[in-house]
Amino acid sequence: MPESKISAEKWMGELVEFLRSEPGVSAVRIDPTAHKVAVATFGAVDLALLAEKLAATIAAVDARIASRSAAAAPAGYTLRREGEAFVLARDSCVTADKMRPWREVEWLNRGAPDRAEEPEWKKLAVLAAVCGAGGIAGALTQHYLPAAGWLSWIFFGLGLVAGAWDAAIDTWENLRKREIDIHFLMLIVAAGAVAIGARSEAVLLLFLFSASGAMEAFALDRTQREVGALLKSAPKRAVVVEADGGEREIAVEELQLAQRVRVKPGEAFPADGTVVSGKSASDESALTGEAQPVEKGKGDPVFSGTINLWGALDFDVGRLPSESTLQKIIRLIQTAQKLKAPSERFTDKFGTGYTYAVLGGATAMFLVWWLGFGLPAFTNTPEVRSAFYRAMTLLVVASPCALVLSIPSAILAAIAWGARHGVLFRGGAAIEKLADINAVALDKTGTLTTGELAVVGYESFPPGRETEVMELAYALEAKSEHPLARAIVRDARARGVREVDVGDFRNIVGEGVKGSHEGAQVLLGRRELLEAGPLAGWAQKLPAAPADLSEVWVIGRDMVGRVLLRDQIRSESRAVLAELKRRGIFTVMLTGDRQHAAEAVAKELGLGDVRASLTPEGKVAAIMEFRAAGKKIAMVGDGVNDAPCLAAADVGVAMGARGSDAALEQAEVILMQDRIENFLSAHRLSRRARTIIRQNLTISLGVVVVMVIATVVGVVPLAIGVAAHEGSTVVVCLNSLRLLFGKNA
């Protein structure tokens, strides 16, 4: 039986045994990518006791499930995939587990390091410091106390052990898998240098190697801090409001959909949801990069991990904590850091083969210097360096440390900067591809415009009674939560419109609302309200609204009027499009709106091309047309209807972490807080990352070529070779960190 199938049956057996022992659990869901575990329960359960019993099972399953192997579930159980997660359930109705409450349980990974453990770079820095101190002490002792040779050996030995410690651990793990890498090369060179008496050079090599390793780990740690900050912002407890108005504090993992939660000033929202009462503002900077507080009132969305600033709010849970916007962003960043760019994958493949080539080349040159040129094999003299010494130097200068770090260090730094400034990349490939685009397609509604309607005017028929139109529209829409109603109410309050009394308020499904005012019936709604009543003949003669405007009709006792509204263009859109044009990037609008409305927006913004009245299929066809013409195109959108063309474009860019799940699923770049100007930051960042990657490759390959030639000629001592090789590695890491600390907006 294949080993993968055996592994799958083992981890499934562990879960089956757990389900058999826990009659109150109907299913277990394990997501190894997000490191999440949840159980579907029925009846009352002791979650703390359940978590304790599940801990051993999780630990046993952890290593085995990593292979993502699958096998047939045993009789009485079903196994299914939900995205990256596995769900093992008892045989039952398909919807049974969905109806039961899912409760998250902490994934207790026994083999994982403790969260309070010191960062890796600090350990490497300590080892490098001990190595350097040992080398300096050994060199000073050797020079000033030549009679005490044993003492210099002790200092050199201490430096060698400290410098080789981490490399030896990695090398041993790789050798067990029958692989070799750069660490193996460094240990071979250090051992060879000691064998020929070049102890100081050996310590110098290991010091610089361990110091560059610490630098690399530091750069990686800096990129991980953004995710760590998000994780820390996730609250652990929530206050649930009971039906009788009482409060009960529970663990966030126990929250259920539609539960009412109360958040006091200064506290973090424990889940995504919608405000039902209270008024406040939230600090969403950690989530979206938006520095300004965002006002919150009834009907407004709130997001897990953001901070409630000044007023108490009650909200209804709209998503389970595991599916919140915060967790979604964390998973996006974590996944992005694991996904490699095409050039990065190339260097990975190149690195292994190159290591073998360097070993073979150094061995061949040793034989050439020894047998071909007659140099001494191992004996060094002041006049002539041995063939073995030169071979060790060649191994050092030809090792691809800096080359292997050239791309991933820049990619990780770029991802981290983006996460901190409201731009999420789905891996290095997105960064590389975005740097190459020469065309951008943009959706209109919600992308170039805000997606929020605003009143632009009032009309009455006959003219002169616009104030009455405003008053009736305000009164009829004051109790509605429809987007049109919110726009009318917001405008009326801004104008200070008088509030009039309207009684017998009723909804007319699909058409509008009606009520009574001063003994007469009043109506508000679509044009069809006029055309269906006694005013039908007269209504057909009323002028149509301009193509770029929406209209709401108001009918009073002896008056008819309308409110005109327009989807507001984002104030930043014009500047963004102008900057894209300056960068030589062609822009086009792809929208399902009417041609006249689309052209009006395009004319105002200065767009290069407009494609209107498009279905989702039409948008995809337009994207493919541009690609066939040789354009490398990015698509920016936010809705479900944009998802197909986001997938069809060279780079899909979604507006906001609040966008549709379909759009987020297909996008490779996500612009937080619906800020279109972040696209410019993303594009500039990708170009800077590409430039820095090219610089890193030039530095690393240039140093290798120059030093290999110099070593073959025989003019480079081992110490210089070590300094050049490790120095280029440090320079590459520092160059990449410019992306993390520099200004990319």
Side-chain angles (χ1 to χ4, degrees), residues 49-394:
L49 181 61
L50 191 66
E52 185 178 341
K53 291 182 178 180
L54 188 54
T57 302
I58 296 173
V61 167
D62 192 3
R64 296 171 186 164
I65 203 174
S67 64
R68 302 298 179 88
S69 305
Y77 298 87
T78 58
L79 179 70
R80 65 180 185 270
R81 290 288 296 269
E82 292 184 357
E84 295 295 321
F86 295 89
V87 179
L88 184 69
R90 304 176 193 273
D91 278 343
S92 62
C93 171
V94 174
T95 59
D97 296 329
K98 296 181 180 179
M99 300 297 293
R100 291 173 181 143
W102 282 90
R103 304 172 186 271
E104 286 191 2
V105 179
E106 184 179 1
W107 183 301
L108 298 175
N109 185 349
R110 306 297 188 192
D114 186 80
R115 292 181 183 176
E117 192 174 352
E118 285 291 314
E120 181 70 14
W121 70 267
K122 290 188 177 181
K123 296 179 181 178
L124 295 177
V126 170
L127 289 173
V130 172
C131 178
I136 293 173
L140 292 174
T141 303
Q142 189 178 49
H143 185 269
Y144 292 106
L145 300 172
W150 59 271
L151 187 57
S152 65
W153 259 111
I154 291 176
F155 286 130
F156 280 132
L158 177 64
L160 290 168
V161 170
W165 187 266
D166 186 67
I169 293 173
D170 289 338
T171 298
W172 174 245
E173 291 296 326
N174 286 327
L175 289 176
R176 290 174 62 184
K177 295 183 289 186
R178 298 181 180 179
E179 297 175 358
I180 61 173
D181 63 358
I182 300 165
H183 298 86
F184 178 79
L185 286 181
M186 295 300 101
L187 293 178
I188 290 294
V189 174
V194 172
I196 60 176
R199 297 188 297 273
S200 58
E201 286 90 339
V203 175
L204 176 62
L205 167 66
L206 293 177
F207 166 71
L208 291 175
F209 186 69
S210 56
S212 64
M215 179 70 68
E216 177 190 355
F218 172 74
L220 180 60
D221 180 72
R222 292 291 306 198
T223 65
Q224 298 286 4
R225 288 189 186 183
E226 303 306 323
V227 182
L230 289 175
L231 286 168
K232 288 179 181 178
S233 69
K236 304 297 186 292
R237 308 288 294 178
V239 176
V240 174
V241 181
E242 303 285 11
D244 60 1
E247 296 181 358
R248 176 170 58 95
E249 186 175 286
I250 63 173
V252 167
E253 294 80 7
E254 297 179 35
L255 284 175
Q256 299 297 317
L257 292 175
Q259 273 189 319
R260 186 151 297 179
V261 178
R262 180 163 295 158
V263 182
K264 298 175 182 178
E267 295 180 345
F269 292 98
D272 289 5
T274 303
V275 176
V276 293
S277 66
K279 191 171 183 180
S280 183
S282 67
D283 178 1
E284 300 182 355
S285 58
L287 194 67
T288 65
E290 173 59 55
Q292 297 297 322
V294 181
E295 291 188 4
K296 299 295 178 183
K298 184 178 180 181
D300 290 329
V302 293
F303 303 96
S304 174
T306 60
I307 306 299
N308 182 27
L309 293 178
W310 51 264
L313 290 176
D314 288 357
F315 74 93
D316 287 342
V317 176
R319 288 179 180 171
L320 292 175
S322 60
E323 300 302 322
S324 69
T325 301
L326 174 66
Q327 293 299 328
K328 186 190 303 181
I329 292 172
I330 290 170
R331 286 197 292 271
L332 284 171
I333 299 172
Q334 290 173 331
T335 302
Q337 290 177 331
K338 295 174 185 176
L339 294 175
K340 296 184 177 181
S343 57
E344 192 177 351
R345 290 194 293 269
F346 169 75
T347 57
D348 283 349
K349 296 177 182 177
F350 172 77
T352 302
Y354 185 80
T355 300
Y356 285 105
V358 169
L359 284 172
T363 302
M365 287 306 300
F366 167 75
L367 296 175
V368 169
W369 279 315
W370 176 32
L371 301 177
F373 292 97
L375 297 177
F378 300 102
T379 305
N380 285 314
T381 66
E383 295 80 17
V384 180
R385 299 187 184 95
S386 68
F388 187 76
Y389 182 96
R390 297 186 181 207
M392 292 299 100
T393 306
L394 182 61

